[in-house]
Amino acid sequence: MEQTGMPVRSEISAVDPAATMTDPFGRMVSYLRVSVTDRCDFRCTYCMAEDMTFLPKRDLLTLEELDRLCTVFIEKGVRKLRLTGGEPLVRRGILQLVRSLGRHLETGALEELTLTTNGSQLHRFADELVDCGVRRVNVSLDTLDADKFARITRWGRLEQVMQSLEAAGKAGLSIKINAVALKGINEFEIEDMLKWAHGEGYDLTLIETMPLGEIGEDRTDQYLPLSLVRQRLAEKFSLEPIAYKTGGPARYVSVAETGGRLGFITPMTHNFCESCNRVRLTCTGTLYMCLGQDDAADLRAPLRESEGNELVAQAIDEAISRKPKGHDFVIGRNAAPAVSRHMSTTGG
Ligand code: SAM
Ligand code: SF4
């Protein structure tokens, strides 16, 4: 992507390593996911409709504003930050934001800076990401079959992603593959994906489809409960639950036969909201306290109202004080999406 050539970094005060944010249910909020763009170069069938209307560019926060907002969150107790989207690597100049946020890794204020990507552009940026302090990436990949990949992503090519994985590995990035479990699509390929991912030295995490946004088809046709997938895998592999955590919602097992780690993200069959440590910021400065609820706080107005960060810090405190207990996802015939916005808006 083209670079904008503009400096991103804004001056910040020192970060208090003891700063924390706690919600009304006693959960500490230490993880921020930032959707840096709602745009994407793929149109995955479970994520987007083919014909999407994206935000006008003028509504987006600038990279400088995103950096300032993230910095306020870090000052308030965020320790892990994940850039996502849409496809984060299609946002113009995104590496400037990554480099700028990397300064918080150097001071130790931030423990980890990561990103979730579809892998289409990663080969171009892998070395620079490492240079900015990124150590781990999640690459979304639901199948190893090129035709199926083209059908799922509508616009993607498997070859691009494979090239990116190779480049990311060479650059020294740890890789986790995220695969959405899809009934009748990759349902009987999961075993092969597990063997492949672990053979390559990647972790693999399986995800249940969530009812977010209209996608132009019935989600009941896609939904595959991971309880069933796990049961099937357990017939062939020894799955040993382990305490490993990355800060996200996945629960991990080690797989004796492959020596690798397998994660399950089960918003439908096993709700994990009681341990939720996350909030999500969109590219317009809207803060969602829960992926599956409509309540949100606008941080763009307080950010722009003053050069200092007091107003935005207050708005964040107020938002965290009403973080809901959890989501109410239901997938069924004629069930409406839990929320009207797509996963690409809030960021996965
Ligand atoms: N474009 C990037 C990617 O695909 O990795 C980042 C954004 S994408 C929204 C983040 C993750 O959300 C991906 O792993 C994707 O498979 C997953 N995802 C998208 N829509 C979903 C849905 N409705 N239910 C469950 N996971 C979904
Ligand atoms: Fe794009 Fe990621 Fe959504 Fe696929 S899952 S359409 S790659 S944002």
Side-chain angles (χ1 to χ4, degrees):
M1 293 294 109
E2 198 182 328
Q3 305 286 300
T4 60
M6 289 165 68
V8 170
R9 184 183 300 224
S10 59
E11 286 310 313
I12 57 156
S13 52
V15 172
D16 173 4
T20 54
M21 291 184 281
T22 307
D23 80 357
F25 302 96
R27 297 171 297 190
M28 215 184 272
V29 176
S30 56
Y31 191 166
L32 178 68
R33 295 198 180 185
V34 186
S35 175
V36 296
T37 174
D38 64 332
R39 290 168 194 250
C40 188
D41 51 352
F42 290 1
R43 289 288 181 279
C44 302
T45 51
Y46 49 78
C47 179
M48 294 189 181
E50 185 154 23
D51 178 21
M52 293 285 289
T53 307
F54 294 110
L55 292 162
K57 292 219 168 95
R58 63 174 181 278
D59 285 358
L60 264 56
L61 293 184
T62 63
L63 294 173
E64 290 83 350
E65 287 173 325
L66 280 172
D67 179 70
R68 200 175 136 207
L69 261 184
C70 291
T71 299
V72 178
F73 273 100
I74 294 165
E75 287 173 334
K76 294 185 74 57
V78 160
R79 297 288 167 261
K80 293 192 177 201
L81 201 149
R82 175 175 296 280
L83 302 180
T84 175
E87 174 47 40
L89 295 179
V90 303
R91 170 102 195 225
R92 195 172 170 214
I94 189 64
L95 260 289
Q96 290 174 64
L97 176 64
V98 180
R99 187 166 293 284
S100 173
L101 290 173
R103 74 192 185 277
H104 299 305
L105 294 168
E106 282 167 23
T107 63
L110 193 61
E111 282 169 22
E112 190 176 50
L113 177 60
T114 53
L115 82 161
T116 302
T117 173
N118 64 20
S120 68
Q121 311 290 324
L122 183 60
H123 57 284
R124 302 167 53 208
F125 295 114
D127 287 323
E128 204 178 339
L129 285 169
V130 172
D131 194 46
C132 296
V134 175
R135 296 290 171 260
R136 241 167 30 92
V137 288
N138 288 358
V139 178
S140 303
L141 177 63
D142 307 319
T143 178
L144 297 172
D145 177 295
D147 292 337
K148 220 188 275 182
F149 184 84
R151 281 203 300 279
I152 296 173
T153 60
R154 291 194 182 104
W155 295 2
R157 282 190 304 114
L158 181 64
E159 202 188 302
Q160 281 177 296
V161 181
M162 289 301 175
Q163 199 187 340
S164 281
L165 286 170
E166 198 185 328
K170 278 196 185 134
L173 288 165
S174 294
I175 297 167
K176 179 159 79 78
I177 303 292
N178 279 348
V180 176
L182 298 164
K183 186 161 77 180
I185 299 175
N186 60 6
E187 179 168 2
F188 298 105
E189 204 194 328
I190 290 175
E191 187 184 327
D192 287 344
M193 289 197 69
L194 175 75
K195 289 184 193 155
W196 166 79
H198 289 179
E200 296 289 329
Y202 310 148
D203 286 346
L204 173 68
T205 293
L206 304 173
I207 309 176
E208 284 175 341
T209 52
M210 290 173 254
L212 303 172
E214 285 297 346
I215 52 168
E217 50 187 280
D218 193 330
R219 287 192 188 269
T220 322
D221 297 332
Q222 302 181 335
Y223 174 57
L224 175 63
L226 285 183
S227 46
L228 176 62
V229 174
R230 186 170 176 154
Q231 195 185 321
R232 286 180 185 155
L233 287 174
E235 286 166 14
K236 301 206 173 155
F237 299 92
S238 315
L239 309 179
E240 185 64 36
I242 50 172
Y244 177 73
K245 278 271 166 209
T246 59
R251 287 183 169 80
Y252 284 90
V253 296
S254 68
V255 183
E257 289 75 5
T258 59
R261 275 191 295 249
L262 172 65
F264 296 90
I265 300 186
T266 54
M268 308 304 297
T269 55
H270 188 294
N271 181 307
F272 42 68
C273 301
E274 77 280 357
S275 59
C276 182
N277 59 352
R278 294 172 290 288
V279 287
R280 294 159 199 271
L281 182 67
T282 72
C283 55
T284 55
T286 304
L287 184 71
Y288 285 98
M289 288 72 83
C290 174
L291 181 63
Q293 300 285 354
D294 281 321
D295 189 26
D298 172 38
L299 301 183
R300 184 172 57 183
L303 186 79
R304 289 183 175 171
E305 225 163 280
S306 140
E307 285 198 358
N309 290 336
E310 301 74 23
L311 292 179
V312 78
Q314 267 170 30
I316 293 171
D317 285 340
E318 204 275 319
I320 301 292
S321 77
R322 53 192 167 85
K323 180 167 159 65
K325 196 166 180 197
H327 64 71
D328 315 297
F329 290 149
V330 179
I331 289 182
R333 297 265 171 230
N334 306 319
V339 292
S340 58
R341 62 185 190 278
H342 293 87
M343 185 78 153
S344 49
T345 306
T346 335

